[in-house]
Amino acid sequence: MSRFMTRHARSPRPGAAVVGAALVFALTACGSGSDTDAASAPSGSAAATEQGVVGRAAAQKVVDTYEKVNNQANAGLDAKLLATVEGGQAYAMDQATYALAPTWSAKDKKAYRKPFYYRDRQYVIPAKGSWFAVGATSSEDGHSSVLLVFDKADGAYKMVMSVWADDGQPLPKPALDAHGLAEAVDPAAKVGAFAPADVGAAFDDLYATGGAKAGKNLATTKPVDEAAKIYRDATAHGTADGIATKRFFTKTPADTSVYALRTADGGVLALFPVAHNQEQLVKEVYRSSRELVPTDEESTLGAHRGPVITDVFQGQGAAVLTAKATKVTAMSWQQVDSH
């Protein structure tokens, strides 16, 4: 993963459904511990319940390793190397980013290969479960925050989900126990209108139906408004100067894992995956004389000239769930296939 990748993936391109993040992570100021106090983490069997699913020192080592290997993989666009420290939805998106490197400008390639580092780390460690989170800022862009999730995959901790933030409202603080540990919430447990595991499908409904089904129960936020607008524009105007229709179809994410934390105000913070197909189809009246020409990105991912082009997008987002409302506060997408 690269901070540059997130910006690049959100840059407007033909055929791409793009939604920007709009939040600042309060977690970066109130996690379960920072690098500076990692050395004081309790050790030994008697302290197992006090250190949670992983000790702070061990969590720091995991993030240090990820940071180092991620920079090496970015420099060489080495997806196999990246897979040793990254998995889940994050890897599904990032390996596609590597595949699209031939379409980048020389300036973008240079920026992508430049190493970057996670600063001001705050570790959010649940008392129980298999995963932990880290809030941090980037050495490239100190005012932007990221929340990274590390979970066990193939017997080791890997970074499996990340959500960047540029500006906007802060996320709520996590609920912490007497030992400074967070509470992981069952993704299937309903909080108000949704369970954390249901938010991704509701968000994708905004693309598929404009929010006629589950999406109508999401609170109005910038990502929700932008997704609904994309649906309205596609329905009204299609694509390719009106000679083709553009429709969206829900799809199962590459990794369906959802991560949720109890917040200090009693709500839940959820990080969730999303996915959909975008179909561009030449209208029947034009099919004898017109065809779609793929963009550079679409061609690189496998698309050819013809009457239909289907783009596959994988994404990840963040939402705050309370008894009163479900607010999707951040969303990022990556095109991963085209045919």
Side-chain angles (χ1 to χ4, degrees):
M1 182 194 71
S2 169
R3 176 61 180 136
F4 165 76
M5 180 280 296
T6 304
R7 289 196 185 279
H8 183 81
R10 282 195 258 145
S11 300
R13 314 195 275 267
V18 181
V19 180
L23 65 152
V24 172
F25 290 108
L27 291 177
T28 57
C30 57
S32 299
S34 64
D35 286 340
T36 56
D37 61 11
S40 65
S43 60
S45 58
T49 58
E50 296 181 9
Q51 73 173 19
V53 299
V54 63
R56 289 193 294 274
Q60 178 181 346
K61 185 176 181 180
V62 168
V63 180
D64 286 345
T65 299
Y66 172 71
E67 181 181 74
K68 177 181 178 180
V69 176
N70 176 61
N71 278 327
Q72 292 172 343
N74 286 348
L77 298 175
D78 190 337
K80 289 185 177 180
L81 178 60
L82 185 66
T84 64
V85 293
E86 192 169 298
Q89 192 72 355
Y91 182 69
M93 297 170 68
D94 287 346
Q95 65 177 335
T97 302
Y98 285 3
L100 287 169
T103 68
W104 302 347
S105 67
K107 180 180 179 181
D108 282 350
K109 289 177 181 177
K110 182 178 180 180
Y112 192 91
R113 290 186 168 99
K114 180 182 177 181
F116 78 111
Y117 305 94
Y118 297 111
R119 308 298 192 197
D120 307 315
R121 298 182 197 167
Q122 295 290 329
Y123 298 88
V124 183
I125 301 174
K128 298 179 181 180
S130 63
W131 59 277
F132 69 94
V134 181
T137 58
S138 167
S139 60
E140 288 183 341
D141 189 357
H143 68 272
S144 296
S145 302
V146 65
L147 186 64
L148 307 168
V149 174
F150 291 82
D151 199 356
K152 284 290 184 70
D154 303 321
Y157 276 111
K158 295 184 179 183
M159 198 282 285
V160 296
M161 190 166 284
S162 63
V163 179
W164 286 92
D166 292 325
D167 51 29
Q169 62 184 24
L171 287 172
K173 296 179 181 180
L176 303 177
D177 65 15
H179 303 295
L181 300 176
E183 179 188 348
V185 175
D186 179 1
K190 202 168 185 180
V191 182
F194 295 99
D198 299 330
V199 178
F203 190 83
D204 271 324
D205 176 57
L206 298 169
Y207 287 93
T209 74
K213 299 178 181 179
K216 66 184 178 183
N217 294 316
L218 294 172
T220 298
T221 61
K222 183 178 179 181
V224 167
D225 284 346
E226 290 181 349
K229 184 179 185 300
I230 288 171
Y231 170 83
R232 291 194 303 270
D233 290 347
T235 301
H237 308 296
T239 188
D241 296 325
I243 72 163
T245 60
K246 181 191 288 188
R247 296 194 299 168
F248 301 89
F249 300 90
T250 58
K251 178 181 175 62
T252 301
D255 189 293
T256 58
S257 301
V258 175
Y259 300 92
L261 289 167
R262 183 78 61 197
T263 59
D265 61 4
V268 170
L269 168 64
L271 300 184
F272 57 91
V274 285
H276 63 244
N277 290 345
Q278 174 185 277
E279 178 195 82
Q280 301 167 83
L281 176 64
V282 175
K283 296 175 182 177
E284 187 172 0
V285 67
Y286 297 112
R287 287 179 197 167
S288 63
S289 60
R290 307 293 291 274
E291 61 184 6
L292 295 171
V293 179
T295 64
D296 289 345
E297 290 86 353
E298 289 169 332
S299 294
T300 300
L301 293 174
H304 301 281
R305 294 173 69 117
V308 61
I309 293 177
T310 300
D311 298 324
V312 181
F313 291 87
Q314 297 284 343
Q316 52 195 345
V320 177
L321 293 77
T322 67
K324 294 183 178 180
T326 297
K327 298 181 179 181
V328 177
T329 51
M331 184 63 58
S332 63
W333 292 99
Q334 176 62 52
Q335 186 175 355
V336 301
D337 191 20
S338 188
H339 54 271

